[in-house]
Amino acid sequence: MAYIIGNACISCGACESECPVECISAGDDQYVIDADSCIECGSCADVCPVEAPCAE
């Protein structure tokens, strides 16, 4: 299952630059992951200071 970014997101952008397939982008209130492009590598979860990304 693809990763999703939960409500804990503080919009710091740390995850966006770590994604090897560039499937993370800034949304209206927080960053979002394109589930169709996510390869479930966990890079976003590894760098998030608030553990917002999690497996769906």
Side-chain angles (χ1 to χ4, degrees), residues 3 5 13-25 31-48 53:
Y3 275 70
I5 297 179
C15 58
E16 184 178 25
S17 62
E18 288 297 315
C19 181
V21 294
E22 300 178 352
C23 71
I24 301 174
S25 60
Y31 279 78
V32 293
I33 296 175
D34 177 3
D36 292 332
S37 301
C38 179
I39 59 171
E40 303 172 39
C41 66
S43 293
C44 56
D46 291 342
V47 299
C48 181

